[in-house]
Amino acid sequence: MSIISEHEYRYNMLIKTFASRAEPAFEAESEQVEVWGQRWGCNNDVGQIRKVLMHRPGPELNVVDPTKRIPDIGAFGDPEKGWYWRGDSIPDLPAQQAQHDKLVAALREEGAEVVFLDECAPGKMKSVYTRDSVIAIDGGAIVARLGPPIRRGEELPVTRTLGKLGMPILRTIGGTGLMEGGSFAFITPKVAVVGLSSRVNEEGARQLEEVLRVHGVELLRVELTGYRLHIDGMFVMVDAETAFVNPTLLPFWFLERLKQLGIRQIEVCPDDGNWVINCLAVRPGRVIMAGGLSERTQAKFDKAGISVRVVEYDKVALGGGGIHCSTSPLVRDPL
């Protein structure tokens, strides 16, 4: 009796001849183009934006009920349903849409393809802040898991959108993990930071870190103070080696680590508006920013060779997020 049949021999030789290959890696450009149609994701926060996810404010804001005023906290809201709106007046939808349209136009003029969220989830009135629902890293996307009830459910439309675009989804934050993209940033292609807060817990950071570790990216953790939500209100990269920071809200060790990484820091001053740090680098040294940058800080940007394009965004910012919050880059040129 033969030790191996002719059929078994031929089968084994077939599989040996047409063997599996681990290389090139999943995120290699040749592999991305062949399998996924193009190179996806970002390994930095400042490379030329090629594709960015946004959502134009719409009927979801009708959930805001002007009779639900909470004077003690200066907001409208319904704790049982989970929605809230800061300030003294309800959303001005036409004004928000006009400002959002101008931001979209500016991004297109700066070389970005703008793609829109597919069918916003009903009543999810924070959906304009697409930054929080998805984090793009080299090769694909991580779908986040948002914290408060009014935002839980934004994950499904973004997943559908990414699927239609053909973008690989590398991970969806699961279990009890909480993760929002506004509290994540690349510092360099191999070092990133996440801000831990009521919106991002250690379990969410652990799951994010698992994906980043595959790419050899170190994840720093910064514990935000009090009820501050996201690190993009105090830290954002504006050039390959330059960060815009509010040093009063960041721990000393983190500021020192930035120095060790060779990151120059431009610090805000008291004359700056509330939303200037929440800006967006569209390419190295080119930033889109809401109004409110002071002459003192503008001089620092000029000295650093960083140009600023202003897009007024105060009406959208009343909902709790600025230009950075309203943009989720899906593809950037690598550094």
Side-chain angles (χ1 to χ4, degrees):
M1 180 178 179
S2 174
I3 195 170
I4 186 171
S5 70
E6 184 68 23
H7 173 75
E8 288 174 321
Y9 173 78
R10 290 181 176 182
Y11 174 79
N12 280 274
M13 291 304 101
L14 175 71
I15 300 305
K16 178 182 178 181
T17 301
F18 296 95
S20 298
R21 298 176 183 175
E23 300 289 344
F26 178 93
E27 62 276 5
E29 184 167 2
S30 61
E31 189 80 353
Q32 289 264 302
V33 171
E34 180 178 350
V35 178
W36 300 97
Q38 68 170 86
R39 181 169 188 160
W40 287 99
C42 311
N43 74 349
N44 66 86
D45 277 4
V46 299
Q48 172 68 54
I49 294 181
R50 298 299 177 184
K51 199 183 297 287
V52 59
L53 177 67
M54 300 182 71
H55 171 67
R56 189 175 192 255
E60 68 277 2
L61 284 163
N62 292 335
V63 72
V64 179
D65 183 348
T67 68
K68 300 288 188 179
R69 181 69 177 163
I70 310 175
D72 290 348
I73 58 176
F76 300 89
D78 187 331
E80 291 187 6
K81 295 183 178 179
W83 69 263
Y84 64 90
W85 181 266
R86 296 165 60 189
D88 299 323
S89 59
I90 62 171
D92 182 341
L93 182 56
Q96 285 196 20
Q97 290 177 333
Q99 289 189 341
H100 193 270
D101 291 346
K102 289 181 179 179
L103 177 59
V104 169
L107 282 161
R108 286 172 173 159
E109 290 172 7
E110 297 290 343
E113 176 190 353
V114 177
V115 297
F116 290 98
L117 189 67
D118 181 57
E119 198 175 348
C120 172
K124 298 304 176 182
M125 42 83 74
K126 301 281 187 178
S127 293
V128 64
Y129 306 128
T130 53
R131 170 75 55 165
D132 293 326
S133 56
V134 57
I135 295 170
I137 67 170
D138 196 14
I142 298 170
V143 176
R145 183 169 183 259
L146 290 87
I150 193 58
R151 304 210 64 180
R152 187 69 52 74
E154 292 180 36
E155 300 90 343
L156 178 56
V158 78
T159 300
R160 287 174 173 162
T161 304
L162 298 177
K164 287 184 177 181
L165 291 173
M167 185 174 188
I169 296 176
L170 307 178
R171 178 77 177 248
T172 298
I173 301 299
T176 57
L178 297 178
M179 177 59 59
E180 296 186 358
S183 220
F184 170 81
F186 279 105
I187 303 171
T188 74
K190 291 301 180 183
V191 182
V193 61
V194 66
L196 300 179
S197 69
S198 65
R199 300 293 181 88
V200 177
N201 62 10
E202 173 56 33
E203 175 57 22
R206 185 192 66 78
Q207 293 182 38
L208 172 64
E209 188 173 43
E210 284 183 348
V211 185
L212 292 173
R213 189 178 296 121
V214 175
H215 299 267
V217 177
E218 177 187 4
L219 183 65
L220 308 178
R221 290 163 168 79
V222 169
E223 293 189 1
L224 306 188
T225 58
Y227 289 94
R228 296 188 181 277
L229 302 184
H230 301 141
I231 202 167
D232 65 359
M234 58 202 75
F235 169 84
V236 66
M237 295 296 295
V238 293
D239 201 354
E241 297 178 348
T242 307
F244 192 21
V245 304
N246 184 340
T248 65
L249 299 177
L250 294 166
F252 177 70
W253 73 262
F254 180 67
L255 299 174
E256 289 296 293
R257 183 64 189 275
L258 291 178
K259 292 179 184 178
Q260 293 168 6
L261 292 168
I263 304 300
R264 170 178 50 185
Q265 298 168 44
I266 297 177
E267 300 173 346
V268 291
C269 77
D271 303 333
D272 290 322
N274 289 334
W275 291 100
V276 292
I277 285 186
N278 198 265
C279 61
L280 177 73
V282 293
R283 59 180 177 273
R286 176 67 166 172
V287 176
I288 297 180
M289 184 182 293
L293 191 67
S294 67
E295 292 183 3
R296 279 199 284 176
T297 306
Q298 179 67 66
K300 297 176 185 177
F301 272 75
D302 293 342
K303 184 177 180 180
I306 298 168
S307 63
V308 176
R309 177 171 183 165
V310 174
V311 176
E312 296 297 333
Y313 213 64
D314 58 301
K315 301 302 182 184
V316 184
L318 289 174
I323 287 174
H324 192 267
C325 299
S326 302
T327 50
S328 185
L330 302 180
V331 180
R332 283 188 185 268
D333 286 356
L335 294 182

